[in-house]
PDB file of all heavy atoms in Angstrom:
ATOM      1  N   GLU Y  11      12.427 -35.820  16.359  1.00  0.00           N
ATOM      2  CA  GLU Y  11      11.713 -35.446  17.587  1.00  0.00           C
ATOM      3  C   GLU Y  11      12.132 -36.386  18.711  1.00  0.00           C
ATOM      4  O   GLU Y  11      12.055 -37.603  18.581  1.00  0.00           O
ATOM      5  CB  GLU Y  11      10.199 -35.547  17.348  1.00  0.00           C
ATOM      6  CG  GLU Y  11       9.340 -35.395  18.586  1.00  0.00           C
ATOM      7  CD  GLU Y  11       9.543 -34.062  19.287  1.00  0.00           C
ATOM      8  OE1 GLU Y  11       9.295 -33.018  18.652  1.00  0.00           O
ATOM      9  OE2 GLU Y  11       9.950 -34.084  20.475  1.00  0.00           O
ATOM     10  N   ASP Y  12      12.596 -35.801  19.849  1.00  0.00           N
ATOM     11  CA  ASP Y  12      13.099 -36.642  20.938  1.00  0.00           C
ATOM     12  C   ASP Y  12      12.049 -36.962  21.997  1.00  0.00           C
ATOM     13  O   ASP Y  12      12.301 -37.777  22.884  1.00  0.00           O
ATOM     14  CB  ASP Y  12      14.313 -35.976  21.602  1.00  0.00           C
ATOM     15  CG  ASP Y  12      13.946 -34.711  22.371  1.00  0.00           C
ATOM     16  OD1 ASP Y  12      13.089 -33.948  21.874  1.00  0.00           O
ATOM     17  OD2 ASP Y  12      14.498 -34.504  23.461  1.00  0.00           O
ATOM     18  N   GLU Y  13      10.872 -36.348  21.922  1.00  0.00           N
ATOM     19  CA  GLU Y  13       9.829 -36.636  22.916  1.00  0.00           C
ATOM     20  C   GLU Y  13       9.000 -37.827  22.432  1.00  0.00           C
ATOM     21  O   GLU Y  13       8.330 -37.754  21.399  1.00  0.00           O
ATOM     22  CB  GLU Y  13       8.944 -35.400  23.088  1.00  0.00           C
ATOM     23  CG  GLU Y  13       8.181 -35.363  24.402  1.00  0.00           C
ATOM     24  CD  GLU Y  13       6.985 -36.308  24.401  1.00  0.00           C
ATOM     25  OE1 GLU Y  13       6.157 -36.174  23.506  1.00  0.00           O
ATOM     26  OE2 GLU Y  13       6.921 -37.193  25.286  1.00  0.00           O
ATOM     27  N   LEU Y  16       4.985 -37.430  21.658  1.00  0.00           N
ATOM     28  CA  LEU Y  16       4.690 -36.590  20.509  1.00  0.00           C
ATOM     29  C   LEU Y  16       5.198 -37.235  19.225  1.00  0.00           C
ATOM     30  O   LEU Y  16       4.507 -37.244  18.197  1.00  0.00           O
ATOM     31  CB  LEU Y  16       5.326 -35.214  20.683  1.00  0.00           C
ATOM     32  CG  LEU Y  16       5.145 -34.240  19.517  1.00  0.00           C
ATOM     33  CD1 LEU Y  16       3.664 -33.988  19.244  1.00  0.00           C
ATOM     34  CD2 LEU Y  16       5.872 -32.927  19.798  1.00  0.00           C
ATOM     35  N   ASP Y  55      12.477 -30.946  15.095  1.00  0.00           N
ATOM     36  CA  ASP Y  55      12.473 -30.351  16.433  1.00  0.00           C
ATOM     37  C   ASP Y  55      13.821 -29.654  16.629  1.00  0.00           C
ATOM     38  O   ASP Y  55      14.835 -30.062  16.056  1.00  0.00           O
ATOM     39  CB  ASP Y  55      12.270 -31.453  17.478  1.00  0.00           C
ATOM     40  CG  ASP Y  55      12.151 -30.896  18.888  1.00  0.00           C
ATOM     41  OD1 ASP Y  55      11.812 -29.702  19.024  1.00  0.00           O
ATOM     42  OD2 ASP Y  55      12.406 -31.643  19.848  1.00  0.00           O
ATOM     43  N   LEU Y  56      13.835 -28.617  17.449  1.00  0.00           N
ATOM     44  CA  LEU Y  56      15.077 -27.869  17.651  1.00  0.00           C
ATOM     45  C   LEU Y  56      15.850 -28.325  18.880  1.00  0.00           C
ATOM     46  O   LEU Y  56      17.078 -28.409  18.854  1.00  0.00           O
ATOM     47  CB  LEU Y  56      14.781 -26.370  17.757  1.00  0.00           C
ATOM     48  CG  LEU Y  56      14.196 -25.702  16.507  1.00  0.00           C
ATOM     49  CD1 LEU Y  56      14.063 -24.203  16.741  1.00  0.00           C
ATOM     50  CD2 LEU Y  56      15.041 -25.986  15.274  1.00  0.00           C
ATOM     51  N   LEU Y  82       9.340 -27.870  14.140  1.00  0.00           N
ATOM     52  CA  LEU Y  82       8.357 -28.133  15.190  1.00  0.00           C
ATOM     53  C   LEU Y  82       9.030 -27.865  16.522  1.00  0.00           C
ATOM     54  O   LEU Y  82       9.972 -28.558  16.895  1.00  0.00           O
ATOM     55  CB  LEU Y  82       7.889 -29.600  15.139  1.00  0.00           C
ATOM     56  CG  LEU Y  82       7.462 -30.165  13.789  1.00  0.00           C
ATOM     57  CD1 LEU Y  82       7.111 -31.652  13.926  1.00  0.00           C
ATOM     58  CD2 LEU Y  82       6.274 -29.390  13.239  1.00  0.00           C
ATOM     59  N   THR Y  83       8.558 -26.865  17.256  1.00  0.00           N
ATOM     60  CA  THR Y  83       9.277 -26.507  18.477  1.00  0.00           C
ATOM     61  C   THR Y  83       8.367 -25.828  19.495  1.00  0.00           C
ATOM     62  O   THR Y  83       7.320 -25.266  19.146  1.00  0.00           O
ATOM     63  CB  THR Y  83      10.446 -25.572  18.143  1.00  0.00           C
ATOM     64  OG1 THR Y  83      11.170 -25.241  19.333  1.00  0.00           O
ATOM     65  CG2 THR Y  83       9.944 -24.295  17.492  1.00  0.00           C
ATOM     66  N   ALA Y  84       8.791 -25.893  20.744  1.00  0.00           N
ATOM     67  CA  ALA Y  84       8.067 -25.213  21.822  1.00  0.00           C
ATOM     68  C   ALA Y  84       8.530 -23.762  21.963  1.00  0.00           C
ATOM     69  O   ALA Y  84       7.939 -22.990  22.710  1.00  0.00           O
ATOM     70  CB  ALA Y  84       8.283 -25.952  23.143  1.00  0.00           C
ATOM     71  N   ARG Y  85       9.569 -23.385  21.234  1.00  0.00           N
ATOM     72  CA  ARG Y  85      10.074 -22.015  21.291  1.00  0.00           C
ATOM     73  C   ARG Y  85       9.153 -21.104  20.482  1.00  0.00           C
ATOM     74  O   ARG Y  85       9.086 -21.212  19.257  1.00  0.00           O
ATOM     75  CB  ARG Y  85      11.489 -21.944  20.718  1.00  0.00           C
ATOM     76  CG  ARG Y  85      12.497 -22.838  21.437  1.00  0.00           C
ATOM     77  CD  ARG Y  85      13.840 -22.790  20.729  1.00  0.00           C
ATOM     78  NE  ARG Y  85      14.814 -23.675  21.366  1.00  0.00           N
ATOM     79  CZ  ARG Y  85      16.047 -23.883  20.884  1.00  0.00           C
ATOM     80  NH1 ARG Y  85      16.444 -23.245  19.785  1.00  0.00           N
ATOM     81  NH2 ARG Y  85      16.866 -24.719  21.487  1.00  0.00           N
ATOM     82  N   LEU Y 103       6.074 -24.397  13.125  1.00  0.00           N
ATOM     83  CA  LEU Y 103       4.866 -24.774  13.849  1.00  0.00           C
ATOM     84  C   LEU Y 103       5.195 -24.907  15.334  1.00  0.00           C
ATOM     85  O   LEU Y 103       6.089 -25.669  15.720  1.00  0.00           O
ATOM     86  CB  LEU Y 103       4.326 -26.102  13.302  1.00  0.00           C
ATOM     87  CG  LEU Y 103       2.881 -26.479  13.607  1.00  0.00           C
ATOM     88  CD1 LEU Y 103       1.917 -25.373  13.201  1.00  0.00           C
ATOM     89  CD2 LEU Y 103       2.524 -27.773  12.898  1.00  0.00           C
ATOM     90  N   VAL Y 104       4.478 -24.130  16.164  1.00  0.00           N
ATOM     91  CA  VAL Y 104       4.765 -24.090  17.596  1.00  0.00           C
ATOM     92  C   VAL Y 104       3.944 -25.144  18.332  1.00  0.00           C
ATOM     93  O   VAL Y 104       2.750 -25.307  18.094  1.00  0.00           O
ATOM     94  CB  VAL Y 104       4.460 -22.686  18.173  1.00  0.00           C
ATOM     95  CG1 VAL Y 104       4.678 -22.661  19.680  1.00  0.00           C
ATOM     96  CG2 VAL Y 104       5.331 -21.635  17.491  1.00  0.00           C
ATOM     97  N   LYS Y 105       4.600 -25.886  19.221  1.00  0.00           N
ATOM     98  CA  LYS Y 105       3.930 -26.895  20.052  1.00  0.00           C
ATOM     99  C   LYS Y 105       3.144 -26.202  21.168  1.00  0.00           C
ATOM    100  O   LYS Y 105       3.590 -25.177  21.680  1.00  0.00           O
ATOM    101  CB  LYS Y 105       4.967 -27.840  20.666  1.00  0.00           C
ATOM    102  CG  LYS Y 105       5.856 -28.551  19.673  1.00  0.00           C
ATOM    103  CD  LYS Y 105       6.927 -29.341  20.423  1.00  0.00           C
ATOM    104  CE  LYS Y 105       7.912 -29.986  19.478  1.00  0.00           C
ATOM    105  NZ  LYS Y 105       8.998 -30.703  20.175  1.00  0.00           N
ATOM    106  N   PRO Y 106       2.020 -26.784  21.595  1.00  0.00           N
ATOM    107  CA  PRO Y 106       1.327 -27.931  20.995  1.00  0.00           C
ATOM    108  C   PRO Y 106       0.589 -27.511  19.727  1.00  0.00           C
ATOM    109  O   PRO Y 106       0.122 -26.374  19.631  1.00  0.00           O
ATOM    110  CB  PRO Y 106       0.352 -28.356  22.090  1.00  0.00           C
ATOM    111  CG  PRO Y 106       0.042 -27.093  22.825  1.00  0.00           C
ATOM    112  CD  PRO Y 106       1.317 -26.283  22.793  1.00  0.00           C
ATOM    113  N   PHE Y 107       0.495 -28.419  18.763  1.00  0.00           N
ATOM    114  CA  PHE Y 107      -0.177 -28.106  17.511  1.00  0.00           C
ATOM    115  C   PHE Y 107      -1.186 -29.210  17.180  1.00  0.00           C
ATOM    116  O   PHE Y 107      -1.114 -30.322  17.691  1.00  0.00           O
ATOM    117  CB  PHE Y 107       0.832 -27.964  16.364  1.00  0.00           C
ATOM    118  CG  PHE Y 107       1.807 -29.104  16.256  1.00  0.00           C
ATOM    119  CD1 PHE Y 107       1.456 -30.301  15.642  1.00  0.00           C
ATOM    120  CD2 PHE Y 107       3.090 -28.979  16.790  1.00  0.00           C
ATOM    121  CE1 PHE Y 107       2.357 -31.340  15.545  1.00  0.00           C
ATOM    122  CE2 PHE Y 107       4.000 -30.026  16.701  1.00  0.00           C
ATOM    123  CZ  PHE Y 107       3.631 -31.209  16.079  1.00  0.00           C
TER     124      PHE Y 107
END
Side-chain angles (χ1 to χ4, degrees):
E11 171 59 60
D12 69 321
E13 201 284 304
L16 178 59
D55 184 22
L56 296 184
L82 311 177
T83 181
R85 301 175 182 175
L103 198 54
V104 177
K105 303 174 185 177
F107 50 80

